[in-house]
Amino acid sequence: MRFRTGRHPRLRDELGAGRGGARRRRRGAPLRRRPTRVPRLRRRPGGVFGRLRSELTCGGTEVCKETVAGDVADAAPAAFASSGHPAGALGATFDPACARLHPAKLVHGLAAVVEALGVAIYEHTEVTSWRPREATVATPRTSDSHVAAPTTAPASALALALGRADSRTSRETPGTRTTVRAEHIVIATEAYGAQLPGVGRRIMPLYSLMIATEPLPDAFWQQAGLPHGTTFSDYRHLLIYGQRTADNRFAFGGRGARYHWGSSIHSSYDQVQRVFDHLRNTLVDLYPDAFDAEITHRWGGPLGVARDWHASASYNPRTGVAFAGGYVGDGLSTTNLAGRTLTALITGSDASLLPHSNDLTRLPWVNHLSPRWEPEPLRFIGANLGLVSADLADREEWMTGRPSRTAKLLGPLTGH
């Protein structure tokens, strides 16, 4: 799917690449060690299609905006427009600066690289609270060799990379509680931060779910006109995105799962049959020849959304606390930029650590503070109203062929 960076072309220049899709590691499971190699992004074209006149209007407007901003989206070239589009497409935009990779391989590769550099990764270690210069963590009683309690000795930096895996479990986790002191604390928990003291209403978790088909024959892909690695989306309001995987499957996802009261997160929320059925029906609507393809994988997870839909990378030198998040599903490459930005903020743009970067501390997301989400029940009503309105807006445009008035009125709820 074409990667979007909103109003900030400098962020686009630094990011360079787009979103990938693959099954993620089960939360709390040990990292399986892989060779010390981080997979490269496979740069492939991405297309966004329009099948209604209203969608063509939206696509044309977005191309104009991104041309002014210096982005590379354009009307689809003839070679792309003549193939690779779904049934009924009237037009498309094309973005060559798109990429996809396997996120689990990225996680394993990064873990191997940082451990080789001497960084300790403590898994099954829940952060129960934090304050400037220290955090309290809990480790379960287990014989798992991958689990170890962090040292109580001072550390140079502590990164909180995962929040609670299940917000409905008891906070009184049996095991060892340890206070870890560090000069810097980096909060990079994304959606899971909604359950972490000190983050809370700064982030709201919204779920995105995916399906994958069985591998499809070469004849199908030749007919569909989708080369390996091609990503695609369209201009509907209830977002969908897809790609052809390395083993010739469709990996296809989208929104539609509801927000849960109190920003709660639970593994059962990853499985919503109604949304999986919607995704399958949408995929078949786009590519009718896939009607008999078996769905072999179903999964999902929460995305972190800031109240103004702006990601942030911030650091307070007085407290030593850094924060990065609010990627709304575009975190595959944005997290890399966030890491480099926080490194620059914490170290003072040390050239030995960031030899090939510009002055990242001047990017527009640095120290951006989004307003907090409304308390319940307003947050519950607003978030789910946004999902319902997106679906209604798509139905309205399908029936009228004109841009939706519903979408325009509720745009602030859906980040548009």
Side-chain angles (χ1 to χ4, degrees):
M1 184 179 69
R2 183 167 59 85
F3 183 71
R4 306 179 186 187
T5 55
R7 303 178 180 87
H8 302 312
R10 282 201 64 200
L11 287 181
R12 177 57 173 271
D13 294 340
E14 292 292 342
L15 286 165
R19 174 189 319 207
R23 192 164 191 170
R24 57 180 172 79
R25 179 173 70 98
R26 179 174 57 85
R27 293 192 296 274
L31 288 170
R32 293 182 175 85
R33 304 305 174 211
R34 294 291 190 268
T36 308
R37 184 177 69 86
V38 179
R40 293 183 178 180
L41 288 171
R42 295 175 173 84
R43 295 181 67 86
R44 299 294 188 194
V48 185
F49 307 103
R51 301 198 301 160
L52 301 172
R53 295 295 178 186
S54 58
E55 292 183 353
L56 288 184
T57 301
C58 174
T61 301
E62 193 156 316
V63 167
C64 292
K65 287 180 179 178
E66 298 195 0
T67 300
V68 172
D71 283 352
V72 296
D74 200 352
F80 181 73
S82 62
S83 64
H85 52 73
L90 301 177
T93 60
F94 173 80
D95 190 347
C98 207
R100 64 108 171 102
L101 54 72
H102 194 306
K105 291 181 179 179
L106 176 65
V107 171
H108 297 315
L110 286 175
V113 168
V114 298
E115 286 185 325
L117 294 172
V119 176
I121 299 176
Y122 296 98
E123 301 175 78
H124 300 283
T125 305
E126 177 190 343
V127 177
T128 58
S129 64
W130 63 271
R131 60 182 181 179
R133 316 295 179 187
E134 68 178 46
T136 301
V137 300
T139 56
R141 292 191 182 99
T142 177
S143 58
D144 192 330
S145 60
H146 290 284
V147 177
T151 177
T152 57
S156 60
L158 173 67
L160 312 185
L162 289 176
R164 296 180 61 84
D166 187 340
S167 62
R168 300 198 305 190
T169 59
S170 171
R171 287 190 176 275
E172 294 301 320
T173 304
T176 303
R177 291 188 179 274
T178 306
T179 297
V180 180
R181 296 179 178 85
E183 184 178 353
H184 309 287
I185 294 180
V186 179
I187 302 172
T189 52
E190 196 52 354
Y192 303 98
Q195 299 298 318
L196 187 66
V199 180
R201 289 194 287 124
R202 188 172 180 176
I203 285 289
M204 182 173 68
L206 287 182
Y207 275 78
S208 188
L209 274 56
M210 293 191 71
I211 59 175
T213 68
E214 63 183 330
L216 301 175
D218 290 339
F220 171 87
W221 295 110
Q222 185 175 4
Q223 177 68 25
L226 286 175
H228 270 294
T230 299
T231 61
F232 61 91
S233 182
D234 65 13
Y235 283 103
R236 72 185 67 206
H237 298 281
L238 196 60
L239 178 68
I240 56 98
Y241 50 90
Q243 63 164 285
R244 176 184 176 181
T245 67
D247 58 349
N248 283 335
R249 304 173 188 264
F250 270 119
F252 190 75
R255 307 289 194 265
R258 71 179 183 89
Y259 164 81
H260 297 272
W261 182 274
S263 295
S264 62
I265 295 173
H266 191 265
S267 57
S268 64
Y269 303 160
D270 298 354
Q271 302 288 320
V272 183
Q273 190 59 48
R274 172 184 59 82
V275 178
F276 291 141
D277 291 342
H278 163 73
L279 292 175
R280 178 185 173 82
N281 292 337
T282 303
L283 177 61
V284 173
D285 182 46
L286 294 172
Y287 293 96
D289 288 345
F291 75 96
D292 59 348
E294 180 184 356
I295 304 300
T296 58
H297 298 78
R298 300 169 180 84
W299 72 99
L303 311 172
V305 184
R307 181 61 182 86
D308 58 2
W309 295 72
H310 279 260
S312 174
S314 59
Y315 174 66
N316 186 336
R318 182 178 60 83
T319 63
V321 176
F323 172 86
Y327 309 123
V328 199
D330 284 330
L332 181 63
S333 53
T334 317
T335 48
N336 182 284
L337 176 61
R340 290 186 284 128
T341 302
L342 293 185
T343 299
L345 291 169
I346 293 171
T347 66
S349 297
D350 188 337
S352 65
L353 296 174
L354 299 162
H356 303 298
S357 296
N358 297 321
D359 187 0
L360 300 178
T361 63
R362 299 178 63 186
L363 289 173
W365 70 341
V366 169
N367 293 327
H368 172 78
L369 183 62
S370 300
R372 294 185 181 275
W373 284 95
E374 291 77 4
E376 302 292 15
L378 297 179
R379 186 162 75 253
F380 180 86
I381 295 171
N384 289 312
L385 180 61
L387 288 173
V388 172
S389 70
D391 183 48
L392 290 176
D394 287 333
R395 295 174 187 271
E396 178 186 346
E397 292 184 356
W398 187 260
M399 290 187 294
T400 66
R402 297 189 299 270
S404 168
R405 294 182 179 181
T406 303
K408 186 176 181 179
L409 290 172
L410 295 176
L413 288 176
T414 56
H416 295 94

